[in-house]
Amino acid sequence: MRIVIAGGHGRIALRLERLLAGRGDEVAGIIRRPEQAGDLLAAGAEPVVCDLESASVADVARHLADADAAVFAAGAGPGSGAARKDTVDRGAAALFADAAEAAGVQRFVVVSSMGADREPPEGTDPVFAAYLRAKGAADADVRARAGLDWTILRPGRLTDDTGTGRVTLAESTGRAEVTRDDVAATLLALLDAPGTAHRTLELINGGTPVAEAVRAVAGG
């Protein structure tokens, strides 16, 4: 397959790129800064420099030409303010979805966040609340698109611990941690599981092997 990942320099994206390249897939990662290209090349991915906050739909659609699937794993990141949560976590997600539709790429996987489906509790840090609202709005936008076979993955609190290869994957899991390694492994399995299209799934560390967990939610 050819997979294009938005947010290609992210910690989950780099892990996914290594997994995809390692099994022989062609993978491209969209990045904003040219100096990030070396890390993608080391992961086995083609770096594509494109600023999703300023690019047009046509610009991004060109990068998605001939792709079999698209993964949105971009985010404004730590240290960014509420305005960039909206322009990246919501706006760039909508742009990437527009571009996928324009390029005829149906399989579309989104890395979202737990808590994105409800109003943040009173007292939530304002920037984090803006992030959750942006993720929720992006998810709602993607779910409304009839032209995409979307899957939305909402991981628990992310850690850099070594992955175990075992997870809990369901529409509702409860809050807990999950390793970035296991998120990447789950994304890989979801890309191979069209039966998970039109599902919003939560992911935490658990006791079920990733492949088995994905087969279960895909209906077999």
Side-chain angles (χ1 to χ4, degrees):
M1 292 194 297
R2 174 173 170 80
I3 314 297
V4 179
I5 302 173
H9 194 257
R11 285 182 283 178
I12 291 171
L14 285 168
R15 287 167 166 83
L16 178 58
E17 287 156 5
R18 292 187 195 100
L19 293 174
L20 288 164
R23 71 177 194 178
D25 287 326
E26 182 182 347
V27 56
I30 295 177
I31 54 176
R32 187 167 58 92
R33 303 204 308 267
E35 60 268 26
Q36 297 171 333
D39 291 334
L40 271 74
L41 290 168
E46 171 197 351
V48 175
V49 180
C50 178
D51 187 347
L52 295 177
E53 290 180 270
S54 60
S56 69
V57 171
D59 290 336
V60 181
R62 280 193 292 272
H63 299 309
L64 284 161
D66 301 320
D68 298 291
V71 178
F72 185 81
S80 59
R84 290 202 68 231
K85 303 302 184 191
D86 184 68
T87 57
V88 178
D89 292 277
R90 182 202 58 77
L95 172 71
F96 198 54
D98 286 341
E101 289 184 319
V105 180
Q106 288 185 285
R107 190 72 176 111
F108 195 85
V109 178
V110 177
V111 182
S112 184
S113 175
M114 279 193 187
D117 55 351
R118 55 189 175 273
E119 180 63 16
E122 187 175 347
T124 301
D125 172 79
V127 174
F128 187 64
Y131 164 77
L132 291 175
R133 292 187 186 106
K135 283 294 191 186
D139 292 354
D141 176 272
V142 168
R143 285 192 295 238
R145 295 172 184 262
L148 296 179
D149 290 334
W150 54 265
T151 302
I152 295 169
L153 185 66
R154 291 176 169 171
R157 191 173 71 81
L158 298 168
T159 76
D160 287 323
D161 295 340
T162 301
T164 66
R166 293 177 176 271
V167 297
T168 296
L169 179 69
E171 290 184 0
S172 179
T173 62
R175 290 185 174 274
E177 295 181 344
V178 64
T179 72
R180 288 181 172 87
D181 285 349
D182 289 324
V183 176
T186 302
L187 290 169
L188 184 76
L190 289 171
L191 286 167
D192 294 335
T196 62
H198 307 131
R199 301 287 301 277
T200 301
L201 302 166
E202 294 184 348
L203 179 73
I204 57 175
N205 288 340
T208 305
V210 167
E212 184 180 328
V214 170
R215 279 197 302 271
V217 297

